[in-house]
Amino acid sequence: MEEKLREYAKLLIEVGLNVQKGQAVVIRCPVECAYFARLCAAAAYNVGCREVVMRWSDDFLERERFLRADDSVFDVFPAWQAEMLNGYADEGAAFLNISARDPEALLGVDPDRLTRASRSETAIQPYVSAVMSNACPWCVASVPIPSWAKKVFPGLPEQEAMDKLWDAIFTSVRISGKGDAVARWHEHVALLKSRIAKLNDLHFTSLYYQNSLGTSLNIKLPETHVWAGGDNTSRTGFPFVANMPTEEVFTAPLRDGIDGVVYAALPLVHNGNIIENFHFVIKDGKIVEAHAEKGEDILKAAIAEDEGASYFGEVALVPYDSPISNQKILFYNTLFDENAACHLAFGEAYPECVKGGEAMSKEELKAAGLNDSNTHVDFMVGTADLSIIGTTKDGREIPVFVNGNFAL
Amino acid sequence: MEEKLREYAKLLIEVGLNVQKGQAVVIRCPVECAYFARLCAAAAYNVGCREVVMRWSDDFLERERFLRADDSVFDVFPAWQAEMLNGYADEGAAFLNISARDPEALLGVDPDRLTRASRSETAIQPYVSAVMSNACPWCVASVPIPSWAKKVFPGLPEQEAMDKLWDAIFTSVRISGKGDAVARWHEHVALLKSRIAKLNDLHFTSLYYQNSLGTSLNIKLPETHVWAGGDNTSRTGFPFVANMPTEEVFTAPLRDGIDGVVYAALPLVHNGNIIENFHFVIKDGKIVEAHAEKGEDILKAAIAEDEGASYFGEVALVPYDSPISNQKILFYNTLFDENAACHLAFGEAYPECVKGGEAMSKEELKAAGLNDSNTHVDFMVGTADLSIIGTTKDGREIPVFVNGNFAL
């Protein structure tokens, strides 16, 4: 186990972030996972980082704050935190985010507080932009915490649930303990790149989604759209892998070009709440109806965060047969669940999804057809019977997905 | 145990800090003690604090940083951290510091890095001033962590050492689990106040220390000196207790008025290192010689931090018979060890130790005879045979301590 943990930390630092000599590394991590944060820090110093800066988090304290702090605090993002994030982003630091939460950490919190807190994040726009445009290397990865593990494996005693979640994560991120994770990741990224090349060659004008849940959705793509995935290249020219695991290839939809109905295939954990059995009705790119059997207030608050939150920012393809989805585990964590199923995201689009986008201004990105928002929320739409048909410029209809898997 | 922990957290918030409705609470705490930080946060919300802000610490990460970060980082205090501390100090927040460290967390670190890091703290002068002058309520308290507990009880297995350290701390801070800690603390503060009243009435011009270790030290006191201890009153008029435990009454020496030799009675933990068997030769208030059998480089670096670091800032009286020293435990933590023995501090003096000092400028405090420095390091000088003789304005010599205990 010790061996695997060390290999995992090294993978995140050397492949996930690809930390360079003299670079600052900012790590977000729950206090419960301090042992793993320490391994990551040591791995970062091993490759000569300038310093490691910790941003600790804690579910309990966050929940207490949302439930019991004075109402005034939710409208103001603390200036010192903004200075920290914007400052490190400005200098090109590497950002590691250990995503590990009780999926229902914020159950019962007033959705208005959640929305106002999210809105206050305009204060960290420079940081968010640096990450969204890949100017800084960033990586989201996970380690288990008890509250999360017990939600994923509700029948098991805590330690057993923790062990099983560790196994599931190691499988998902290709850690065998044999020290070959870096090589496996290079192979995996190459496979994703070959899918991307095919999709870019076909240059679809639109994709039509259909499945037995009731999804019937037409998605137009921007004229200059490009497919991305696998790794990215930071401002300083070094490749990094922004999500570990990652099984997706993705692009951006045309902001006003989505019409139809889409049903979620899996529950969505958002803002410390679980949203279940939901669907959207979409017209000219905008969500005009949102319904959920559970967590509808959280969902409605999320799409009302700002104007762009009710438009879409991402179209991602993930085969139904993947190392994650084949484990048949509902992770209650988007990092895993989104890499087990085709997904969409409402909110901000990634600039890299149009040609030359990473160097464009907000206005230029908008002109290229991309959506702008302070939020970006992925949700899963892929099922075993999902079909996606792409239409090319010359009107050919080509099956992209058949029965949940790539058909190209 | 759960009961005692809750009582302790409540004591720190309601008596230590005396948190008021709408006040922000800033908690410094090692990640290992998150369970206790959560209890403190809950106790703070119980009395209506505006919000709790966490400043997490971790011995391992601090050590890694001091050993392996780029050399440039030790000269610059991070602007965002300064903004945080200075900002909350400016608005009158309450500061709780959970002091729990491996006493040798920084063993082997280049003392020059430690000194430069300490010097960079001039960036948080507004915060340090607000605390030193009691403008903001603050409280230092402790909970065990394994590395520390094993140092205090080196023969015992980890869990036993942790349990024993908890017992020792509960005894020291008067937590019985019967819910009477608040009442006991009010009694205790009243006892300290009665000692202070006697000392202030006598208004000594100097104190002469002597014991069998070799200490022979004459300490002149400022004309307008006052003794303090027990509790303080914040800028907004609420009493708080800055150290839990506290057994001391203290004042400031006249900056240039100390002459002789003083031997440390206990090891000193400073900057993550242990300094043992040390003594100072002092002339006109300034340390002109410093010798230590262990940690001499750390000691010499500490008194060289700035000009005032080689002058004295505090004279504190603690009876040899006290709930802490009677436990006959060397805590390797100044919060406890300084409250088990008479102590002195080199570095900054507390403004409250001269009449009207809390409202004085730096220049006025200097004119009143107080030392100014960015550091303040307590070290223990009290032994079972310590005698202290006070001299009054009219030349009377009065025994203040005989055989290590109050004689007044």
Side-chain angles (χ1 to χ4, degrees):
Chain A
M1 181 68 181
E2 200 51 36
E3 199 76 10
K4 285 186 182 174
L5 289 176
R6 233 173 272 277
E7 186 180 355
Y8 186 27
K10 188 175 148 76
L11 178 73
L12 296 181
I13 294 298
E14 296 187 15
V15 179
L17 294 180
N18 194 4
V19 171
Q20 299 298 307
K21 262 197 181 41
Q23 190 170 35
V25 177
V26 181
I27 302 179
R28 178 91 174 145
C29 183
V31 292
E32 285 156 296
C33 312
Y35 66 98
F36 189 71
R38 292 179 192 129
L39 292 179
C40 292
Y45 283 118
N46 286 346
V47 294
C49 78
R50 188 184 76 213
E51 67 180 318
V52 173
V53 179
M54 291 301 306
R55 292 180 65 215
W56 296 105
S57 62
D58 184 67
D59 275 343
F60 178 90
L61 292 172
E62 195 190 358
R63 179 176 173 78
E64 282 281 286
R65 185 170 185 275
F66 268 112
L67 288 174
R68 302 175 73 194
D70 188 86
D71 202 52
S72 63
V73 308
F74 303 103
D75 291 318
V76 185
F77 196 89
W80 59 272
Q81 279 185 41
E83 176 156 348
M84 177 199 195
L85 290 168
N86 295 338
Y88 286 113
D90 185 52
E91 68 162 70
F95 293 89
L96 176 62
N97 183 1
I98 303 295
S99 160
R101 277 184 105 180
D102 176 350
E104 295 193 290
L106 301 182
L107 184 66
V109 166
D110 179 359
D112 179 55
R113 289 192 161 189
L114 297 172
T115 303
R116 284 158 53 207
S118 294
R119 281 185 188 147
S120 77
E121 290 179 9
T122 48
I124 51 168
Q125 239 286 294
Y127 158 74
V128 173
S129 286
V131 165
M132 292 293 283
S133 70
N134 300 315
C136 295
W138 56 285
C139 180
V140 184
S142 283
V143 305
I145 57 173
S147 56
W148 175 30
K150 284 189 287 189
K151 193 86 194 175
V152 179
F153 302 105
L156 300 182
E158 182 172 305
Q159 191 52 52
E160 226 172 293
M162 285 287 285
D163 292 345
K164 278 198 83 140
L165 188 49
W166 262 125
D167 285 346
I169 290 173
F170 284 142
T171 301
S172 303
V173 294
R174 301 171 163 78
I175 297 282
S176 64
K178 288 176 207 146
D180 58 353
V182 170
R184 282 156 165 258
W185 268 90
H186 288 312
E187 271 171 44
H188 175 55
V189 167
L191 168 69
L192 294 176
K193 294 289 181 198
S194 73
R195 285 182 186 153
I196 289 166
K198 280 183 203 160
L199 287 161
N200 282 335
D201 280 351
L202 286 161
H203 204 74
F204 293 119
T205 54
S206 66
L207 300 173
Y208 176 70
Y209 284 57
Q210 200 271 331
N211 71 7
S212 63
L213 280 181
T215 292
S216 170
L217 191 69
N218 196 64
I219 301 176
K220 289 187 192 152
L221 300 178
E223 172 60 31
T224 61
H225 81 271
V226 284
W227 290 85
D231 58 9
N232 289 96
T233 303
S234 72
R235 187 168 58 193
T236 49
F238 296 99
F240 67 93
V241 179
N243 282 187
M244 283 191 149
T246 182
E247 301 291 333
E248 63 179 301
V249 299
F250 62 96
T251 191
L254 185 66
R255 187 181 192 271
D256 306 321
I258 307 187
D259 286 276
V261 182
V262 64
Y263 280 77
L266 292 174
L268 169 65
V269 174
H270 180 66
N271 260 342
N273 280 268
I274 298 175
I275 306 165
E276 276 182 279
N277 298 328
F278 61 99
H279 72 274
F280 294 127
V281 180
I282 302 151
K283 207 174 144 22
D284 297 333
K286 188 178 168 64
I287 298 168
V288 291
E289 283 181 42
H291 302 281
E293 282 180 19
K294 180 180 168 182
E296 189 173 286
D297 52 347
I298 300 294
L299 185 65
K300 288 192 163 164
I303 61 172
E305 192 181 312
D306 58 18
E307 211 225 321
S310 59
Y311 287 82
F312 287 77
E314 183 182 339
V315 177
L317 305 180
V318 181
Y320 198 74
D321 286 329
S322 86
I324 301 173
S325 64
N326 285 340
Q327 296 185 63
K328 306 284 171 216
I329 295 170
L330 177 59
F331 282 86
Y332 288 106
N333 181 322
T334 297
L335 175 63
F336 296 86
D337 294 329
E338 73 165 358
N339 280 304
C342 284
H343 57 271
L344 303 173
F346 54 86
E348 178 90 341
Y350 290 99
E352 67 185 297
C353 294
V354 289
K355 230 169 259 170
E358 285 168 337
M360 286 183 184
S361 67
K362 282 224 174 267
E363 289 65 36
E364 291 170 317
L365 291 168
K366 202 171 171 182
L370 298 203
N371 186 33
D372 174 30
S373 169
N374 284 314
T375 194
H376 176 100
V377 180
D378 298 279
F379 65 100
M380 288 58 76
V381 302
T383 53
D385 67 351
L386 178 68
S387 89
I388 305 177
I389 294 167
T391 302
T392 62
K393 232 174 182 171
D394 55 6
R396 280 183 300 148
E397 293 196 344
I398 297 175
V400 181
F401 263 56
V402 172
N403 287 334
N405 283 307
F406 269 101
L408 291 175
Chain B
M1 184 66 180
E2 200 49 39
E3 197 77 10
K4 284 185 181 175
L5 289 175
R6 231 174 273 277
E7 187 178 354
Y8 186 26
K10 187 175 148 80
L11 179 73
L12 297 181
I13 294 298
E14 296 188 14
V15 179
L17 294 180
N18 193 5
V19 171
Q20 299 298 308
K21 262 197 180 46
Q23 189 171 35
V25 176
V26 181
I27 302 180
R28 178 89 174 148
C29 182
V31 291
E32 286 157 296
C33 312
Y35 65 100
F36 188 71
R38 293 178 191 129
L39 291 179
C40 292
Y45 284 119
N46 286 346
V47 295
C49 77
R50 188 185 76 213
E51 67 180 317
V52 173
V53 179
M54 289 303 305
R55 293 181 65 216
W56 295 105
S57 62
D58 184 65
D59 275 342
F60 177 91
L61 291 172
E62 196 189 358
R63 179 178 174 78
E64 283 281 286
R65 185 171 185 274
F66 269 112
L67 288 174
R68 303 175 73 192
D70 188 87
D71 202 52
S72 64
V73 307
F74 303 104
D75 291 317
V76 186
F77 195 91
W80 59 274
Q81 278 185 42
E83 177 156 346
M84 177 201 195
L85 289 169
N86 295 339
Y88 286 114
D90 185 53
E91 66 161 69
F95 293 88
L96 177 62
N97 182 0
I98 303 295
S99 162
R101 278 184 106 181
D102 177 348
E104 296 192 290
L106 301 182
L107 184 67
V109 167
D110 179 0
D112 180 55
R113 288 191 161 189
L114 297 172
T115 304
R116 285 158 54 208
S118 293
R119 280 186 189 143
S120 78
E121 290 180 8
T122 48
I124 51 168
Q125 239 284 299
Y127 158 72
V128 173
S129 286
V131 164
M132 291 293 282
S133 68
N134 300 314
C136 296
W138 56 286
C139 181
V140 184
S142 283
V143 305
I145 59 173
S147 56
W148 174 30
K150 284 190 285 189
K151 193 84 191 174
V152 180
F153 302 105
L156 300 182
E158 181 172 306
Q159 191 51 53
E160 225 172 293
M162 286 287 285
D163 292 345
K164 279 198 80 143
L165 189 50
W166 262 124
D167 285 346
I169 290 173
F170 283 143
T171 301
S172 301
V173 295
R174 300 174 163 77
I175 297 280
S176 64
K178 288 177 205 144
D180 57 355
V182 171
R184 279 156 165 258
W185 267 91
H186 287 313
E187 268 171 44
H188 176 55
V189 167
L191 168 70
L192 294 175
K193 293 290 182 196
S194 73
R195 285 182 187 152
I196 288 165
K198 279 181 202 159
L199 287 160
N200 281 335
D201 280 352
L202 286 161
H203 205 73
F204 294 119
T205 54
S206 67
L207 300 173
Y208 175 70
Y209 284 58
Q210 201 273 329
N211 71 8
S212 63
L213 280 180
T215 293
S216 170
L217 191 70
N218 196 62
I219 301 175
K220 287 186 194 154
L221 302 177
E223 173 60 32
T224 60
H225 81 270
V226 283
W227 291 84
D231 59 10
N232 290 96
T233 303
S234 72
R235 189 167 58 196
T236 47
F238 295 100
F240 67 94
V241 179
N243 283 187
M244 283 188 151
T246 183
E247 300 291 332
E248 63 178 301
V249 299
F250 64 96
T251 190
L254 186 66
R255 187 181 193 272
D256 305 320
I258 306 187
D259 286 276
V261 182
V262 65
Y263 281 77
L266 292 174
L268 169 64
V269 174
H270 180 64
N271 259 344
N273 281 268
I274 298 176
I275 306 166
E276 275 181 280
N277 297 329
F278 61 101
H279 71 274
F280 294 128
V281 179
I282 302 150
K283 208 173 141 29
D284 296 335
K286 185 175 169 69
I287 297 168
V288 292
E289 284 180 40
H291 303 282
E293 282 180 18
K294 179 178 169 181
E296 189 174 286
D297 54 344
I298 300 294
L299 185 65
K300 287 190 164 166
I303 61 172
E305 193 180 311
D306 58 18
E307 211 226 320
S310 60
Y311 287 83
F312 287 77
E314 184 183 340
V315 176
L317 305 178
V318 181
Y320 198 74
D321 287 330
S322 85
I324 301 175
S325 63
N326 284 339
Q327 294 184 66
K328 305 288 169 213
I329 296 170
L330 177 58
F331 282 85
Y332 288 105
N333 182 321
T334 297
L335 176 64
F336 296 87
D337 294 330
E338 73 164 359
N339 281 303
C342 283
H343 58 271
L344 303 173
F346 54 86
E348 177 91 341
Y350 290 101
E352 67 185 299
C353 294
V354 289
K355 229 168 258 166
E358 285 169 337
M360 286 182 183
S361 69
K362 283 230 174 257
E363 290 65 36
E364 290 170 316
L365 291 168
K366 201 172 174 184
L370 296 202
N371 186 34
D372 174 30
S373 169
N374 283 316
T375 194
H376 176 103
V377 180
D378 298 279
F379 64 100
M380 287 58 77
V381 302
T383 53
D385 67 351
L386 178 69
S387 89
I388 304 175
I389 293 168
T391 302
T392 61
K393 230 175 185 167
D394 56 4
R396 280 183 300 149
E397 293 195 342
I398 296 173
V400 180
F401 262 58
V402 172
N403 287 333
N405 281 307
F406 268 102
L408 290 173

